[in-house]
Amino acid sequence: QFVESDDDEELLFNIPFTGNVKLKGVIVMGEDNGTHPAEMRLFRNIPHMSFDDAAREPEQTFSLNRDPTGELEYPTKIARFSNVYHLSIHFPKNFGAETTKIFYIGLKGEWTEAHRHEVTICNYEASANPADHKLEQITPQTHFIS
């Protein structure tokens, strides 16, 4: 099983994480021919990234070697990839074939639970408006116990 590009050699993977990841390394397996990717560009925390967004400057770029067995690990700059909740991997070119084939992408790192707080909408009164706080007339009642 593998992933193959459609029209040209470019491939883009968007990988959301359920927590925060400190990414330490990436492994890429392809065939030992021209369909193996020759370059890998990593982007962090850009959800729903498209090929148009891939024109921007990546966090890190790698020149890949042919690795059909998955023995090569490409270490990342840990300072740039210490708090990743979404990873985008762009493969812009291969070793000369029409399409690119990838059999395996391995990610090495540490996962921690995300502490994301939702936005809370609150309304506060700077000073109370008595018209908003009407009370029924309270009549005092006295009870005698004999």
Side-chain angles (χ1 to χ4, degrees):
Q1 294 182 357
F2 56 87
V3 174
E4 185 173 11
S5 59
D6 312 10
D7 299 330
D8 57 6
E9 67 274 6
E10 278 190 278
L11 271 175
L12 178 65
F13 292 90
N14 283 305
I15 305 166
F17 298 116
T18 57
N20 293 325
V21 172
K22 181 189 288 186
L23 185 65
K24 296 181 178 180
V26 181
I27 298 169
V28 178
M29 278 176 47
E31 285 186 320
D32 195 13
N33 59 23
T35 63
H36 193 288
E39 184 179 325
M40 175 175 63
R41 304 169 77 224
L42 300 181
F43 300 87
R44 69 178 181 88
N45 302 338
I46 307 172
H48 313 293
M49 186 172 166
S50 67
F51 283 105
D52 294 334
D53 297 326
R56 67 192 316 171
E57 187 67 27
E59 299 295 326
Q60 192 168 357
T61 303
F62 297 93
S63 293
L64 303 179
N65 294 317
R66 290 186 178 123
D67 185 19
T69 58
E71 295 175 359
L72 298 175
E73 180 181 337
Y74 299 94
T76 61
K77 296 176 183 173
I78 296 176
R80 289 189 181 183
F81 294 97
S82 63
N83 193 18
V84 180
Y85 59 86
H86 189 279
L87 180 69
S88 298
I89 306 174
H90 179 229
F91 297 98
K93 59 184 177 178
N94 59 22
F95 285 100
E98 292 282 325
T99 61
T100 300
K101 285 185 184 179
I102 295 178
F103 288 85
Y104 174 81
I105 297 175
L107 304 175
K108 289 193 174 185
E110 298 173 9
W111 179 88
T112 56
E113 188 174 350
H115 297 287
R116 296 194 186 113
H117 299 284
E118 299 295 325
V119 176
T120 305
I121 299 173
C122 299
N123 294 323
Y124 296 97
E125 291 184 76
S127 61
N129 183 357
D132 292 340
H133 304 282
K134 291 185 180 183
L135 296 175
E136 297 295 324
Q137 273 300 342
I138 299 175
T139 54
Q141 295 195 2
T142 331
H143 297 284
F144 293 103
I145 300 175
S146 47

